[in-house]
Amino acid sequence: MLYGQTTPQTRRLLQASFNREGSWPMVLVAQSTVGREGLNLHEECRTVVLLHAEWNPGVVEQQIGRVDRKNSRFLKDYRAGIWRNNEATPPRIEIHCIQMEGGYDSLHWAVLKERWAALRAQLHGDVVAIQDRGHARSDPALAGLIKRLDLAAPDFHPKPTMTAQPSRRAERLLASTAKAAYPKTMKSIT
């Protein structure tokens, strides 16, 4: 467990142990303010469980960023390509949020997801955030305006890269997620 009083030596030991394949600890619990910056936990992990999500999506991005890094477990699994042979879903960084359905946590998570969409729109050059696009379904004039804005705006979304020939199913999956801000799966555990 990492918390504010964890000594630097213990932090380094836990971090090194966590990053070794098949080593203990298999689960590392870190306090929000301790586990969001300066920790490299990406080498053998691609799952983040948020026990208490922050209100600020930038802080949550920092927490997720502990496993979303260059040469991460996610990228190793993706590049290995085993999923292509089985026509399985490509590996993702999995994000789970623990919450009580219908309680304060649900409201908190809903607000965070809205803020997150707005943040990602800003980071990746989307002129109109995802939640605002929903209004265009019932308004053809708004849909036309959004289409013109999208065509005029530069595209800063990360592009998928392929190291081997993908299957048709994998191509469809990649095409459907090419506009996603990051290759992450958002799940809510209720």
Side-chain angles (χ1 to χ4, degrees):
M1 176 178 287
L2 292 176
Y3 60 99
Q5 301 303 313
T6 305
T7 65
Q9 181 179 2
T10 302
R11 283 176 198 242
R12 285 191 300 275
L13 178 65
L14 284 170
Q15 182 176 328
S17 296
F18 190 75
N19 278 323
R20 278 197 301 266
E21 185 175 358
S23 180
W24 294 93
M26 299 294 278
V27 174
L28 183 64
V29 178
Q31 182 184 18
S32 174
T33 55
V34 173
R36 70 175 169 223
E37 293 179 13
L39 289 176
N40 296 314
L41 304 172
H42 63 289
E43 294 175 26
E44 290 302 320
C45 178
R46 62 181 178 96
T47 303
V48 176
V49 178
L50 302 169
L51 298 175
H52 174 72
E54 299 283 338
W55 285 101
N56 183 339
V59 171
V60 177
E61 283 289 336
Q62 280 291 328
Q63 294 167 335
I64 295 166
R66 304 309 91 218
V67 300
D68 185 10
R69 298 192 166 219
K70 201 173 193 181
N71 297 320
S72 67
R73 171 83 269 145
F74 151 72
L75 286 173
K76 290 174 192 174
D77 292 347
Y78 186 87
R79 288 178 183 141
I82 295 168
W83 57 274
R84 290 185 188 105
N85 300 336
N86 303 338
E87 292 196 20
T89 303
R92 304 268 187 229
I93 292 173
E94 296 180 26
I95 304 153
H96 304 278
C97 180
I98 306 297
Q99 62 176 296
M100 298 283 291
E101 187 63 37
Y104 177 76
D105 289 341
S106 291
L107 170 67
H108 185 169
W109 188 242
V111 170
L112 176 64
K113 286 199 297 189
E114 283 183 27
R115 291 178 179 177
W116 209 337
L119 173 69
R120 292 209 170 162
Q122 294 168 14
L123 289 174
H124 296 289
D126 287 344
V127 178
V128 181
I130 292 170
Q131 71 266 23
D132 296 327
R133 291 176 183 274
H135 301 296
R137 291 185 197 126
S138 60
D139 185 345
L142 180 59
L145 174 63
I146 290 172
K147 184 175 182 177
R148 287 195 312 273
L149 288 170
D150 286 342
L151 290 172
D155 184 3
F156 296 110
H157 289 86
K159 303 293 186 254
T161 58
M162 302 302 293
T163 56
Q165 194 66 7
S167 68
R168 287 185 180 156
R169 181 167 184 244
E171 285 179 343
R172 286 192 308 270
L173 285 169
L174 285 172
S176 69
T177 59
K179 294 294 257 181
Y182 291 108
K184 295 179 181 174
T185 301
M186 297 295 303
K187 293 184 181 177
S188 176
I189 299 174
T190 53

